[in-house]
Amino acid sequence: MNIKKLLNSLKKIKDNDQYTIEGWILANRGNEKIRFLSLNDGSTSDNLQVVIKGKNILDFKIDKINLGTSVKVSGALILTPKSPQPIELVVSTLEIINTSDDDYPIQKKETTLDFLREIPHLRHKTNLFRTIMLIRNSLVFELHKYFQENGFINVASPIITSNDCEGAGETLEVNNPNNKNDYFFKERAYLGVSGQLHAEAYANGFKKVYTFAPTFRAENSHTSRHLAEFWMVEPEVAFANLNDVILLADNLLKTIIANTLKNYPSEMKILNDLKNGTLIPTLKDFINKDLKILDYKETIKILEKNKNMFEDQNIFFGMDLSSEHEKFIAEKIVNGPVALINYPKELKAFYMYQNTDNKTVAAFDLLVPGIGELMGGSQRESRYKKLEQRLKELNIKQEPLQWYLDLRRYGYAPSSGFGIGFERLVMYVTGISNIRDVIPFPRTPGGIKM
Amino acid sequence: MNIKKLLNSLKKIKDNDQYTIEGWILANRGNEKIRFLSLNDGSTSDNLQVVIKGKNILDFKIDKINLGTSVKVSGALILTPKSPQPIELVVSTLEIINTSDDDYPIQKKETTLDFLREIPHLRHKTNLFRTIMLIRNSLVFELHKYFQENGFINVASPIITSNDCEGAGETLEVNNPNNKNDYFFKERAYLGVSGQLHAEAYANGFKKVYTFAPTFRAENSHTSRHLAEFWMVEPEVAFANLNDVILLADNLLKTIIANTLKNYPSEMKILNDLKNGTLIPTLKDFINKDLKILDYKETIKILEKNKNMFEDQNIFFGMDLSSEHEKFIAEKIVNGPVALINYPKELKAFYMYQNTDNKTVAAFDLLVPGIGELMGGSQRESRYKKLEQRLKELNIKQEPLQWYLDLRRYGYAPSSGFGIGFERLVMYVTGISNIRDVIPFPRTPGGIKM
């Protein structure tokens, strides 16, 4: 039984129940007569207090135990409802597996996030990164669970594609390392930037599908919100329109965030304290508030009226909203989550459904206070002719996408979907402001650590 | 309520309950007075029989409905316990969403798997591929569920690494497409062949972790068992030895296969019929039999005694077992699943724990009747000096792996783990013999379809 399960079953524990646990030592305090070890086993951010008394201190070489030491301990559980920790373990046997060398870089004194980014193989041994990665894991499983319980089929979209059309220059190319001109796949191959087009093929047949896979972008930006390698979650639903998937997105996010708050109270408290108590209220607010839906056209009018609020005061229909505009709408106008819909088609991808006004497409971006855009999606263009026409307008070659157009010719059920940048979601739920801190081994231009 | 849920809740259904369903038409039979449509919605391999009578046939343009047509139908459910299908839907309204063009390649008459491999965007609309992909989805979720319920943390090992040491020439390189000599990551970058080393870092801290991600191999082989892009599942457990993870592998496989048999009876029946009724008995046999553990040394003695059974009769300690040897052991000697352990170190990777005989390492391969090797793993070398020495012997540069060696210096808890080639597992459970048929969009040398 790991520490998380132990702490969740305190009511079943009686004093002097025998318990054995393995883990790592985060503190070794006390004197010659009594010692207190903080032990963590990775199942939770909560530590177990381990007590060693009298002769045992010498017998088990407790003085040797330094930060990070791996141990196996057995003893009697004692409930301590009046202490800060609800239970402790009084040791009867203790085995030191391995101590840490003196240059162990994880120390009790505070270290900077920058420093920790240099040691991605060790930083999860800090309280903060342990907590972040536990929440990340919760969100991974909650996503799978939500989709599976709601009849979605997981689809492995291919990572390697022949298609770089979504944004030339932003894709990474895959080569035979021994001879860069000998194409392993007999043609130029790229790392996918999205699994959506392939997911659409599978939605037509399975009706509700989702991908959950790494995607890649060669964007040469060094911001706190971009990675060259990140995970995407892309649900796609046939027989569904824009409104259907906006409701899906809203329900999905509310469910997985509520479950994470419920199942990881200690971790969420740590993160909440870091944000001076604002994180949990923000998330609860998100869960409790109805999602507002606002037309892009209306949004422009609102921004126009308030343009003296912005650095960029050039507001017009057709403009791409900047981060300050998005945050203003979510925070000052709606004061809650909002789906902006019906963007000008020039701002969006070729496959989005063209509205009857001939100007806009049935797309949405979901904005939330504090972070801005969390995800985006659309209803897909279901009409073969419209899609063909749009490719021509945008000068995109049709031949490599013919299979995608052909979906429309064989009993096509119009579909809609959206993409969640998974690390953005983890940032939102943990309140962590740099994307490099929510993925174990971040990949950014200019360096591959480990 | 999708068709799978409907069929699972027959006991709650009463005649004339109203029901609305969307899906695709797989058959349109009957005459001018009564029509029978087979409708599938992707939730199961079972179809719903839809009945249209009299004037409705004309009113709803049933004659227009061809194979693959997408429809939305409403009507009354009628229980038909004496018919081949337990329930049918008598239509009151029917809406044709889209019909299929005449060249729709999925027809009732049989097509070859080879032909279907040319149309990966459509082949899931056949009964066979629908069934395979439903079982694939079941295994995806069962794996996540098993790990999460047993306290494992999902870890995103990086896909892009600087490390090609596992097998030079078998990795794919990642480049900036616009300038192959301008390294986007400032050094040569490769697509990972395994997430194991990084998972080990996280096991030391979280104790039980797993990866589930795509991996890549540039092997130029055109067999029915190799892909350039495939998914791997790699659990890693700290404080665990070889025997612990063999037991984990056995329990994991038995659990997820048993749950899939239970939750997907219709799909497993279809696949079982394809294998003349041998698939389900083989899987049940696997679930019910205790896993045998057999030493490599013993295995060589057994093969030696039976060498006239083999094409390759050169049997000696140190040899790599070929597929015929592995199948012989699993099928003729053990007649069930078997873990071969303690392989000669020359056959295995640098990171495996060196046994005291100085010849073998604490590795295992899990063999099953009918397929041979299903997965492999090992206890990891926990001793810094031994690991350093082994790198020297194998002429592997230490510097890029220094972080991995350093794990041993900071409170290292010895760990063990294994890797499951996910598509191999899907092949085993579905009985499908070509790996290109168990992944939606297979990537192999020489071509990228879609």
Side-chain angles (χ1 to χ4, degrees), chain B residues 257-295:
Chain B
I257 293 172
N259 287 346
T260 297
L261 283 167
K262 194 182 75 187
N263 297 332
Y264 290 83
S266 303
E267 290 73 17
M268 290 309 300
K269 187 181 174 311
I270 289 168
L271 296 164
N272 191 49
D273 290 348
L274 267 183
K275 303 285 277 186
N276 300 314
T278 62
L279 179 65
I280 292 176
T282 301
L283 295 173
K284 288 200 167 155
D285 208 46
F286 176 77
I287 291 167
N288 294 323
K289 274 204 175 132
D290 284 341
L291 178 70
K292 286 271 186 311
I293 297 181
L294 194 62
D295 212 283

Short mmCIF file of all heavy atoms in Angstrom, two decimals, chain B residues 257-295:
data_model
loop_
_atom_site.label_atom_id
_atom_site.label_comp_id
_atom_site.label_asym_id
_atom_site.label_seq_id
_atom_site.Cartn_x
_atom_site.Cartn_y
_atom_site.Cartn_z
N ILE B 257 -6.14 -8.78 -21.19
CA ILE B 257 -6.74 -9.71 -22.16
C ILE B 257 -8.08 -10.22 -21.65
O ILE B 257 -9.07 -10.27 -22.38
CB ILE B 257 -5.77 -10.86 -22.50
CG1 ILE B 257 -4.54 -10.29 -23.25
CG2 ILE B 257 -6.46 -11.93 -23.34
CD1 ILE B 257 -3.42 -11.30 -23.47
N ALA B 258 -8.13 -10.57 -20.36
CA ALA B 258 -9.39 -11.06 -19.79
C ALA B 258 -10.47 -9.98 -19.90
O ALA B 258 -11.62 -10.28 -20.26
CB ALA B 258 -9.18 -11.47 -18.34
N ASN B 259 -10.13 -8.73 -19.59
CA ASN B 259 -11.13 -7.66 -19.67
C ASN B 259 -11.58 -7.40 -21.11
O ASN B 259 -12.75 -7.10 -21.35
CB ASN B 259 -10.55 -6.36 -19.07
CG ASN B 259 -10.47 -6.44 -17.56
OD1 ASN B 259 -11.07 -7.31 -16.94
ND2 ASN B 259 -9.72 -5.53 -16.96
N THR B 260 -10.67 -7.53 -22.05
CA THR B 260 -11.04 -7.34 -23.44
C THR B 260 -11.97 -8.46 -23.92
O THR B 260 -12.97 -8.20 -24.61
CB THR B 260 -9.78 -7.25 -24.32
OG1 THR B 260 -9.03 -6.09 -23.91
CG2 THR B 260 -10.12 -7.12 -25.80
N LEU B 261 -11.68 -9.69 -23.54
CA LEU B 261 -12.57 -10.81 -23.87
C LEU B 261 -13.96 -10.57 -23.29
O LEU B 261 -14.98 -10.84 -23.93
CB LEU B 261 -12.01 -12.12 -23.33
CG LEU B 261 -10.86 -12.75 -24.12
CD1 LEU B 261 -10.19 -13.86 -23.30
CD2 LEU B 261 -11.35 -13.31 -25.46
N LYS B 262 -14.01 -10.04 -22.07
CA LYS B 262 -15.28 -9.82 -21.39
C LYS B 262 -16.07 -8.67 -22.02
O LYS B 262 -17.28 -8.78 -22.22
CB LYS B 262 -15.01 -9.52 -19.91
CG LYS B 262 -16.25 -9.61 -19.02
CD LYS B 262 -15.91 -9.27 -17.58
CE LYS B 262 -15.71 -7.77 -17.43
NZ LYS B 262 -15.22 -7.35 -16.13
N ASN B 263 -15.37 -7.58 -22.35
CA ASN B 263 -16.07 -6.37 -22.80
C ASN B 263 -16.35 -6.32 -24.30
O ASN B 263 -17.13 -5.50 -24.74
CB ASN B 263 -15.26 -5.13 -22.41
CG ASN B 263 -15.13 -4.98 -20.90
OD1 ASN B 263 -15.99 -5.44 -20.16
ND2 ASN B 263 -14.05 -4.37 -20.45
N TYR B 264 -15.69 -7.16 -25.07
CA TYR B 264 -15.86 -7.13 -26.53
C TYR B 264 -16.17 -8.53 -27.09
O TYR B 264 -15.48 -9.00 -27.98
CB TYR B 264 -14.61 -6.54 -27.20
CG TYR B 264 -14.46 -5.07 -26.93
CD1 TYR B 264 -13.89 -4.61 -25.75
CD2 TYR B 264 -14.94 -4.12 -27.84
CE1 TYR B 264 -13.78 -3.25 -25.48
CE2 TYR B 264 -14.84 -2.77 -27.58
CZ TYR B 264 -14.26 -2.33 -26.39
OH TYR B 264 -14.16 -1.00 -26.14
N PRO B 265 -17.24 -9.16 -26.57
CA PRO B 265 -17.53 -10.53 -27.01
C PRO B 265 -17.84 -10.65 -28.50
O PRO B 265 -17.38 -11.60 -29.15
CB PRO B 265 -18.74 -10.92 -26.14
CG PRO B 265 -19.33 -9.63 -25.68
CD PRO B 265 -18.19 -8.67 -25.56
N SER B 266 -18.58 -9.69 -29.07
CA SER B 266 -18.93 -9.80 -30.49
C SER B 266 -17.69 -9.69 -31.36
O SER B 266 -17.53 -10.43 -32.34
CB SER B 266 -19.90 -8.69 -30.88
OG SER B 266 -21.05 -8.74 -30.09
N GLU B 267 -16.81 -8.76 -31.02
CA GLU B 267 -15.60 -8.54 -31.81
C GLU B 267 -14.68 -9.76 -31.70
O GLU B 267 -14.10 -10.20 -32.69
CB GLU B 267 -14.88 -7.27 -31.33
CG GLU B 267 -15.61 -5.96 -31.67
CD GLU B 267 -16.85 -5.70 -30.81
OE1 GLU B 267 -16.99 -6.35 -29.75
OE2 GLU B 267 -17.68 -4.87 -31.21
N MET B 268 -14.54 -10.29 -30.49
CA MET B 268 -13.65 -11.43 -30.31
C MET B 268 -14.21 -12.66 -31.02
O MET B 268 -13.46 -13.49 -31.52
CB MET B 268 -13.42 -11.71 -28.81
CG MET B 268 -12.59 -10.65 -28.09
SD MET B 268 -10.98 -10.23 -28.88
CE MET B 268 -10.14 -11.81 -28.87
N LYS B 269 -15.55 -12.76 -31.11
CA LYS B 269 -16.14 -13.88 -31.83
C LYS B 269 -15.81 -13.78 -33.33
O LYS B 269 -15.46 -14.78 -33.97
CB LYS B 269 -17.66 -13.90 -31.62
CG LYS B 269 -18.31 -15.15 -32.22
CD LYS B 269 -19.79 -15.20 -32.06
CE LYS B 269 -20.37 -16.40 -32.81
NZ LYS B 269 -19.90 -16.54 -34.20
N ILE B 270 -15.92 -12.59 -33.88
CA ILE B 270 -15.59 -12.39 -35.30
C ILE B 270 -14.15 -12.81 -35.58
O ILE B 270 -13.85 -13.54 -36.54
CB ILE B 270 -15.79 -10.91 -35.69
CG1 ILE B 270 -17.29 -10.58 -35.73
CG2 ILE B 270 -15.14 -10.60 -37.04
CD1 ILE B 270 -17.60 -9.09 -35.83
N LEU B 271 -13.23 -12.38 -34.71
CA LEU B 271 -11.81 -12.69 -34.90
C LEU B 271 -11.54 -14.18 -34.68
O LEU B 271 -10.74 -14.80 -35.37
CB LEU B 271 -10.95 -11.83 -33.96
CG LEU B 271 -11.03 -10.31 -34.24
CD1 LEU B 271 -10.49 -9.52 -33.05
CD2 LEU B 271 -10.28 -9.96 -35.52
N ASN B 272 -12.24 -14.74 -33.72
CA ASN B 272 -12.11 -16.17 -33.42
C ASN B 272 -12.56 -17.01 -34.62
O ASN B 272 -11.91 -18.00 -35.00
CB ASN B 272 -12.94 -16.51 -32.18
CG ASN B 272 -12.64 -17.89 -31.64
OD1 ASN B 272 -11.48 -18.25 -31.45
ND2 ASN B 272 -13.69 -18.67 -31.41
N ASP B 273 -13.68 -16.62 -35.24
CA ASP B 273 -14.18 -17.34 -36.42
C ASP B 273 -13.15 -17.30 -37.55
O ASP B 273 -12.97 -18.29 -38.27
CB ASP B 273 -15.51 -16.75 -36.90
CG ASP B 273 -16.65 -17.05 -35.92
OD1 ASP B 273 -16.45 -17.90 -35.02
OD2 ASP B 273 -17.72 -16.44 -36.04
N LEU B 274 -12.48 -16.17 -37.70
CA LEU B 274 -11.45 -16.02 -38.73
C LEU B 274 -10.32 -17.01 -38.54
O LEU B 274 -9.66 -17.41 -39.50
CB LEU B 274 -10.87 -14.61 -38.68
CG LEU B 274 -11.46 -13.54 -39.57
CD1 LEU B 274 -10.66 -12.27 -39.39
CD2 LEU B 274 -11.45 -13.98 -41.03
N LYS B 275 -10.05 -17.35 -37.28
CA LYS B 275 -8.96 -18.28 -36.96
C LYS B 275 -9.53 -19.67 -36.69
O LYS B 275 -8.94 -20.44 -35.90
CB LYS B 275 -8.17 -17.79 -35.75
CG LYS B 275 -7.58 -16.41 -35.88
CD LYS B 275 -6.37 -16.37 -36.77
CE LYS B 275 -5.12 -16.78 -36.01
NZ LYS B 275 -3.92 -16.60 -36.86
N ASN B 276 -10.66 -19.97 -37.29
CA ASN B 276 -11.29 -21.28 -37.14
C ASN B 276 -11.46 -21.70 -35.68
O ASN B 276 -11.25 -22.85 -35.30
CB ASN B 276 -10.47 -22.35 -37.87
CG ASN B 276 -10.38 -22.03 -39.35
OD1 ASN B 276 -11.39 -21.69 -39.97
ND2 ASN B 276 -9.19 -22.11 -39.90
N GLY B 277 -11.81 -20.72 -34.87
CA GLY B 277 -12.12 -21.04 -33.48
C GLY B 277 -10.92 -21.27 -32.58
O GLY B 277 -11.08 -21.72 -31.44
N THR B 278 -9.72 -20.92 -33.05
CA THR B 278 -8.54 -21.19 -32.21
C THR B 278 -8.11 -19.98 -31.37
O THR B 278 -7.33 -20.13 -30.44
CB THR B 278 -7.33 -21.61 -33.07
OG1 THR B 278 -7.00 -20.51 -33.96
CG2 THR B 278 -7.64 -22.85 -33.89
N LEU B 279 -8.60 -18.79 -31.72
CA LEU B 279 -8.07 -17.59 -31.05
C LEU B 279 -8.47 -17.50 -29.58
O LEU B 279 -7.62 -17.35 -28.70
CB LEU B 279 -8.53 -16.32 -31.81
CG LEU B 279 -8.05 -15.00 -31.20
CD1 LEU B 279 -6.54 -14.86 -31.27
CD2 LEU B 279 -8.73 -13.81 -31.87
N ILE B 280 -9.76 -17.58 -29.32
CA ILE B 280 -10.23 -17.42 -27.94
C ILE B 280 -9.66 -18.53 -27.03
O ILE B 280 -9.17 -18.24 -25.94
CB ILE B 280 -11.78 -17.34 -27.88
CG1 ILE B 280 -12.23 -16.01 -28.53
CG2 ILE B 280 -12.29 -17.42 -26.45
CD1 ILE B 280 -13.73 -15.82 -28.63
N PRO B 281 -9.68 -19.81 -27.48
CA PRO B 281 -9.05 -20.84 -26.63
C PRO B 281 -7.58 -20.54 -26.32
O PRO B 281 -7.13 -20.75 -25.19
CB PRO B 281 -9.20 -22.11 -27.46
CG PRO B 281 -10.40 -21.87 -28.32
CD PRO B 281 -10.37 -20.39 -28.63
N THR B 282 -6.83 -20.04 -27.31
CA THR B 282 -5.42 -19.70 -27.07
C THR B 282 -5.28 -18.62 -26.00
O THR B 282 -4.45 -18.72 -25.10
CB THR B 282 -4.76 -19.20 -28.38
OG1 THR B 282 -4.87 -20.22 -29.36
CG2 THR B 282 -3.29 -18.86 -28.17
N LEU B 283 -6.13 -17.60 -26.11
CA LEU B 283 -6.06 -16.50 -25.14
C LEU B 283 -6.49 -16.96 -23.75
O LEU B 283 -5.88 -16.60 -22.75
CB LEU B 283 -6.92 -15.32 -25.61
CG LEU B 283 -6.44 -14.63 -26.89
CD1 LEU B 283 -7.47 -13.59 -27.36
CD2 LEU B 283 -5.08 -13.97 -26.71
N LYS B 284 -7.54 -17.79 -23.71
CA LYS B 284 -8.00 -18.27 -22.40
C LYS B 284 -6.95 -19.17 -21.76
O LYS B 284 -6.75 -19.16 -20.54
CB LYS B 284 -9.32 -19.02 -22.55
CG LYS B 284 -10.47 -18.07 -22.83
CD LYS B 284 -11.83 -18.68 -22.52
CE LYS B 284 -12.89 -17.60 -22.52
NZ LYS B 284 -14.24 -18.14 -22.80
N ASP B 285 -6.28 -19.95 -22.62
CA ASP B 285 -5.20 -20.80 -22.15
C ASP B 285 -4.10 -19.94 -21.52
O ASP B 285 -3.58 -20.26 -20.45
CB ASP B 285 -4.63 -21.55 -23.36
CG ASP B 285 -4.03 -22.88 -22.96
OD1 ASP B 285 -4.70 -23.60 -22.18
OD2 ASP B 285 -2.91 -23.18 -23.40
N PHE B 286 -3.77 -18.85 -22.20
CA PHE B 286 -2.75 -17.93 -21.68
C PHE B 286 -3.16 -17.39 -20.31
O PHE B 286 -2.37 -17.33 -19.38
CB PHE B 286 -2.54 -16.78 -22.67
CG PHE B 286 -1.58 -15.74 -22.19
CD1 PHE B 286 -0.21 -15.95 -22.23
CD2 PHE B 286 -2.04 -14.53 -21.66
CE1 PHE B 286 0.68 -14.99 -21.77
CE2 PHE B 286 -1.14 -13.56 -21.21
CZ PHE B 286 0.21 -13.80 -21.26
N ILE B 287 -4.43 -17.00 -20.21
CA ILE B 287 -4.91 -16.41 -18.96
C ILE B 287 -4.90 -17.43 -17.82
O ILE B 287 -4.55 -17.10 -16.69
CB ILE B 287 -6.36 -15.87 -19.15
CG1 ILE B 287 -6.34 -14.67 -20.09
CG2 ILE B 287 -7.00 -15.51 -17.83
CD1 ILE B 287 -7.71 -14.26 -20.61
N ASN B 288 -5.23 -18.68 -18.14
CA ASN B 288 -5.39 -19.67 -17.08
C ASN B 288 -4.10 -20.38 -16.67
O ASN B 288 -4.04 -20.98 -15.60
CB ASN B 288 -6.43 -20.72 -17.51
CG ASN B 288 -7.81 -20.09 -17.65
OD1 ASN B 288 -8.16 -19.21 -16.86
ND2 ASN B 288 -8.57 -20.50 -18.64
N LYS B 289 -3.11 -20.34 -17.54
CA LYS B 289 -1.88 -21.07 -17.22
C LYS B 289 -0.91 -20.21 -16.43
O LYS B 289 -0.75 -19.02 -16.70
CB LYS B 289 -1.21 -21.53 -18.51
CG LYS B 289 -1.76 -22.85 -19.00
CD LYS B 289 -0.79 -23.59 -19.89
CE LYS B 289 -1.36 -24.95 -20.23
NZ LYS B 289 -1.27 -25.25 -21.65
N ASP B 290 -0.24 -20.85 -15.47
CA ASP B 290 0.83 -20.15 -14.76
C ASP B 290 1.99 -19.94 -15.70
O ASP B 290 2.30 -20.79 -16.54
CB ASP B 290 1.30 -20.98 -13.56
CG ASP B 290 0.31 -20.91 -12.42
OD1 ASP B 290 -0.51 -19.98 -12.41
OD2 ASP B 290 0.34 -21.80 -11.55
N LEU B 291 2.62 -18.79 -15.55
CA LEU B 291 3.79 -18.49 -16.35
C LEU B 291 4.97 -19.33 -15.85
O LEU B 291 5.28 -19.36 -14.67
CB LEU B 291 4.13 -17.00 -16.23
CG LEU B 291 5.36 -16.53 -16.98
CD1 LEU B 291 5.12 -16.55 -18.48
CD2 LEU B 291 5.74 -15.12 -16.53
N LYS B 292 5.61 -20.03 -16.80
CA LYS B 292 6.84 -20.77 -16.44
C LYS B 292 8.04 -19.84 -16.62
O LYS B 292 8.05 -19.00 -17.51
CB LYS B 292 7.01 -21.97 -17.38
CG LYS B 292 6.06 -23.11 -17.12
CD LYS B 292 6.64 -24.09 -16.11
CE LYS B 292 5.73 -25.31 -15.95
NZ LYS B 292 4.31 -24.99 -15.74
N ILE B 293 9.04 -20.02 -15.78
CA ILE B 293 10.28 -19.27 -15.92
C ILE B 293 11.40 -20.27 -16.21
O ILE B 293 11.54 -21.28 -15.51
CB ILE B 293 10.57 -18.45 -14.65
CG1 ILE B 293 9.45 -17.42 -14.46
CG2 ILE B 293 11.93 -17.76 -14.75
CD1 ILE B 293 9.61 -16.52 -13.25
N LEU B 294 12.16 -20.03 -17.25
CA LEU B 294 13.16 -20.99 -17.71
C LEU B 294 14.47 -20.25 -17.98
O LEU B 294 14.47 -19.22 -18.65
CB LEU B 294 12.63 -21.65 -19.00
CG LEU B 294 13.32 -22.91 -19.51
CD1 LEU B 294 13.22 -24.05 -18.49
CD2 LEU B 294 12.66 -23.34 -20.83
N ASP B 295 15.55 -20.82 -17.46
CA ASP B 295 16.85 -20.19 -17.65
C ASP B 295 17.32 -20.37 -19.10
O ASP B 295 17.11 -21.42 -19.71
CB ASP B 295 17.85 -20.84 -16.70
CG ASP B 295 18.91 -19.84 -16.25
OD1 ASP B 295 19.82 -19.57 -17.06
OD2 ASP B 295 18.79 -19.32 -15.13
#
